[in-house]
Amino acid sequence: MSDEICIPSGIQQKDTSFGYTLSIISGKYKMTILYYLSENKIVRFNELQRGIGTIPFKTLSVMLKELEADCLVRREEFPQIPPKVEYSLTEKGQSLIPVLDMMCTWGEKNFVPAAQEITIPFMI
């Protein structure tokens, strides 16, 4: 990691590379969508929705449009009936996967299930 400060003083976060990265991956399901696409390569809309499980149709549609606008996801439409649309990661989208992998590794090292949390007994 470089010695540069990610958010120098006097500069708003949104005007930094860190702010840009956060704006790209912010959103409740964006990282989940990116990770699912990295694992499954090419996916149709319904398969993606089933794979994520808890995402509403409209939310998935909006998230995919935003990811496509940010050049992270490729949408390929096939001219046939019924319509067929496939989603996959672009090269730029694939470049984010190591970041998501590092987040996963950090979570594995630091996650403490609620049942195992240390509690301090209440003393009277």
Side-chain angles (χ1 to χ4, degrees), residues 60-116:
L60 178 57
S61 180
V62 168
M63 294 291 113
L64 285 169
K65 285 178 184 174
E66 289 178 9
L67 290 167
E68 184 181 7
D70 291 330
C71 300
L72 299 177
V73 169
R74 178 182 306 108
R75 180 182 190 270
E76 188 172 358
E77 191 172 335
F78 297 91
Q80 65 184 48
I81 297 178
K84 178 181 175 183
V85 178
E86 293 179 339
Y87 295 91
S88 60
L89 290 179
T90 62
E91 192 172 320
K92 184 177 176 182
Q94 291 170 352
S95 71
L96 264 174
I97 299 309
V99 175
L100 300 181
D101 285 338
M102 284 190 287
M103 291 172 67
C104 185
T105 300
W106 185 91
E108 288 170 354
K109 290 179 182 176
N110 293 283
F111 177 69
V112 178
Q116 293 180 0

Side-chain angles (χ1 to χ4, degrees), residues 28-39:
K28 186 173 179 180
Y29 293 98
K30 282 186 179 179
M31 289 186 278
T32 304
I33 292 167
L34 291 169
Y35 210 83
Y36 191 88
L37 288 173
S38 78
E39 294 290 316

Side-chain angles (χ1 to χ4, degrees), residues 13-27:
Q13 178 179 312
K14 67 179 182 68
D15 297 328
T16 65
S17 55
F18 181 71
Y20 170 74
T21 305
L22 287 179
S23 73
I24 293 291
I25 61 174
S26 66

